[in-house]
Amino acid sequence: MVYNSTCPYFFCPTKCNLSSIQLKNYLAESSNNLKPSSLSHRIRFIRSLFRWLHEEGIIELNPASKIKEPRVGKRIPNFLTEREIEYLRDACFSPMEKALFEFMFSTGCRIGEIVSLDRNSINWGNQSAIVRGKGDKEREVYFNIRCDIWLKKYLDSRFDNDPAIFATERSPHRMSIAQMRYIIKRISKRAGINKTIHPHQLRHSYATHLLNNGAPLEVIQSLLGHEKSETTRIYAELSGRLRQEFYRKYF
């Protein structure tokens, strides 16, 4: 007997008589509060389960074969304005906070890429670092002079031998993703910005900054480590609207 506690339908794999209508009813009843992306994930799971049951000969008909995922509209990346970036920069107190913030913003790295970064991955000569991104793919990222200065100050202030480029202050060891998120949250609270700030916004802000300064999309795609150009192209939709907003806000 197979049973999901969230699903009102019991079924025996060897005698499954669920219909597409029953599955659709289940999805309608159990997914009222789900976002379209979460509903899509649930549907993919159900389709995968029934496809396997059908391929293994456990069921004769696949009731999930015609169930389609909802259309998920493209979401505009949530970025920070240049003014908000300066507020956050000013709210960084310690060399560690300044180094972490500047590295996140000036490289556009994913937080997971920064967590796994070691000191020996830094090339100080050309202000770059080798990071390991999604799919275990390596790429070179670059940081600016401001980041270079604070990163050196931070590393010079440490007396531990941990290879991680960012380590905890107490009993130094490699900083976790949760700890990095907490630090950014702490900085944003000091800055007094009336919005929730998370590390990935710095990555979006990095891409938006490049776009507004004329960087080609293919260059931004390479720097961000996007496998598909469609992932990067959404930033282009910001361009005209963003310039108008900046004009009205700052002129």
Side-chain angles (χ1 to χ4, degrees), residues 3-240:
Y3 176 64
N4 184 319
S5 60
T6 64
C7 179
Y9 304 104
F10 287 85
F11 71 92
C12 175
T14 58
K15 297 180 180 180
C16 177
N17 59 357
L18 278 178
S19 66
S20 295
I21 292 177
Q22 286 176 302
L23 281 178
K24 288 178 180 178
N25 287 339
Y26 157 66
L27 289 167
E29 293 168 8
S30 64
S31 308
N32 288 334
N33 298 321
L34 289 182
K35 295 179 180 178
S37 57
S38 299
L39 178 57
S40 294
H41 178 77
R42 179 172 291 185
I43 291 173
R44 284 195 296 271
F45 173 80
I46 289 174
R47 286 197 312 207
S48 177
L49 170 64
F50 281 96
R51 183 170 58 249
W52 177 81
L53 290 171
H54 183 254
E55 289 174 352
E56 292 295 315
I58 298 173
I59 59 175
E60 292 183 7
L61 298 174
N62 180 358
S65 61
K66 295 183 179 180
I67 296 179
K68 297 181 179 180
E69 298 176 37
R71 291 186 177 182
V72 180
K74 291 182 179 180
R75 290 182 296 175
I76 298 297
N78 193 358
F79 64 93
L80 300 167
T81 66
E82 291 183 18
R83 177 167 295 199
E84 288 170 334
I85 290 292
E86 288 305 318
Y87 278 134
L88 290 168
R89 183 173 279 141
D90 192 54
C92 295
F93 286 175
S94 67
M96 178 273 291
E97 288 183 344
K98 291 180 182 292
L100 180 60
F101 175 81
E102 295 297 346
F103 194 85
M104 280 186 176
F105 179 58
S106 69
T107 64
C109 284
R110 302 177 179 94
I111 191 170
E113 296 168 343
I114 300 175
V115 163
S116 60
L117 196 63
D118 288 333
R119 301 190 204 198
N120 60 11
S121 300
I122 302 292
N123 183 335
W124 298 104
N126 66 348
Q127 295 174 339
S128 68
I130 301 296
V131 299
R132 195 176 295 275
K134 288 185 177 180
D136 205 33
K137 293 181 180 179
E138 288 188 343
R139 77 178 187 282
E140 189 173 40
V141 297
Y142 308 94
F143 50 89
N144 58 19
I145 294 175
R146 191 196 302 260
C147 179
D148 181 286
I149 291 171
W150 283 112
L151 201 53
K152 284 177 179 175
K153 284 186 178 182
Y154 164 60
L155 292 175
D156 288 344
S157 70
R158 282 173 52 184
F159 298 99
D160 62 89
N161 295 317
D162 195 288
I165 193 167
F166 291 104
T168 57
E169 295 176 297
R170 296 181 181 178
S171 303
H173 59 275
R174 187 178 298 275
M175 203 177 282
S176 68
I177 287 177
Q179 287 167 327
M180 285 191 180
R181 283 179 177 153
Y182 172 76
I183 291 168
I184 296 301
K185 185 177 180 180
R186 184 172 67 191
I187 294 169
S188 65
K189 189 175 181 180
R190 284 195 215 117
I193 298 174
N194 190 26
K195 65 167 65 171
T196 302
I197 307 294
H198 53 81
H200 213 69
Q201 279 177 289
L202 295 176
R203 178 171 161 86
H204 290 323
S205 304
Y206 162 84
T208 306
H209 182 79
L210 287 171
L211 178 69
N212 287 325
N213 282 284
L217 280 176
E218 58 270 21
V219 172
I220 299 175
Q221 177 184 350
S222 176
L223 290 170
L224 289 173
H226 285 163
E227 186 173 340
K228 298 179 180 178
S229 60
E230 290 80 6
T231 311
T232 312
R233 198 166 292 132
I234 192 169
Y235 291 103
E237 298 178 13
L238 291 170
S239 186

